[in-house]
Amino acid sequence: MRTDRTFTMLKPDSVEKGHIGAILEKITASGFRIVAMKLTQMTKADAEEFYAIHNERPFFGELVEYMTRGPIVAAILEKENAVEDFRTLIGATNPADAAEGTIRKLYAASIGENAVHGSDSDENAAIEGAFHFSGREMF
Ligand code: IDP
Ligand code: MG
């Protein structure tokens, strides 16, 4: 049986605040295997493409600015039921609504600067993983 994959980014605020280690520890302790990982910085064009689905939203400019202001950790994660379980682990988009113990509850500052990304479907996980990694970088 195929094991599911999801895609994540530890966003610029997580890197700036020195939270990479703590967040990765939480992810691996929750049973996710790291399939691909790197420190990288998105260009404005990259972020506009990655978040194209939100380009009509009032916060789009702010989102692109935030996501390009410094490096991120991009990673592909593997686990049974990866997409849904990872969304549960990170918590609600707005940390004020996120459950206790979730990554966003622990590390996010606001609905905009919310520490981590998690894919919302298997289809988007594959698209987003391929956006950041070549086949040779996936294990
Ligand atoms: P998600 O990351 O929980 O899937 P989405 O609705 O897909 O949330 O939004 C993508 C990202 O856009 C969020 O993670 C957050 O960084 C940003 N964002 C979402 N809603 C707002 C908002 O109301 N104000 C500012 N930024 C927002
Ligand atoms: Mg989303």
Side-chain angles (χ1 to χ4, degrees), residues 48 50-61 63 117 120:
E48 285 172 350
F50 188 92
Y51 283 113
I53 193 168
H54 295 302
N55 64 14
E56 302 291 316
R57 309 285 287 276
F59 58 80
F60 185 65
L63 175 60
H117 170 81
D120 62 7

Side-chain angles (χ1 to χ4, degrees), residues 2-139:
R2 172 181 169 279
T3 306
D4 297 327
R5 292 183 172 190
T6 191
F7 172 76
T8 187
M9 297 182 284
L10 311 194
K11 297 182 176 182
D13 54 322
S14 293
V15 177
E16 289 159 9
K17 293 173 183 169
H19 291 154
I20 294 174
I23 294 173
L24 289 179
E25 168 58 23
K26 203 157 168 59
I27 291 170
T28 54
S30 301
F32 292 89
R33 185 175 81 83
I34 295 168
V35 171
M37 188 164 71
K38 67 181 161 195
L39 197 62
T40 183
Q41 185 164 1
M42 289 199 283
T43 64
K44 191 164 178 281
D46 290 333
E48 285 172 350
E49 185 182 339
F50 188 92
Y51 283 113
I53 193 168
H54 295 302
N55 64 14
E56 302 291 316
R57 309 285 287 276
F59 58 80
F60 185 65
E62 184 187 322
L63 175 60
V64 169
E65 190 67 28
Y66 159 53
M67 288 302 298
T68 57
R69 78 179 185 213
I72 59 167
V73 175
I76 298 172
L77 305 171
E78 191 172 75
K79 185 185 180 296
E80 227 176 84
N81 204 37
V83 166
E84 191 185 343
D85 286 1
F86 193 71
R87 295 289 303 202
T88 301
L89 179 65
I90 69 178
T93 306
N94 187 344
D97 302 327
E100 285 303 324
T102 59
I103 292 173
R104 282 170 167 167
K105 184 69 172 188
L106 290 165
Y107 300 111
S110 66
I111 189 169
E113 302 208 2
N114 60 2
V116 281
H117 170 81
S119 304
D120 62 7
S121 66
D122 288 345
E123 186 193 2
N124 284 335
I127 292 168
E128 292 170 359
F131 185 89
H132 282 276
F133 295 99
S134 69
R136 279 192 293 124
E137 297 175 303
M138 299 177 193
F139 303 90

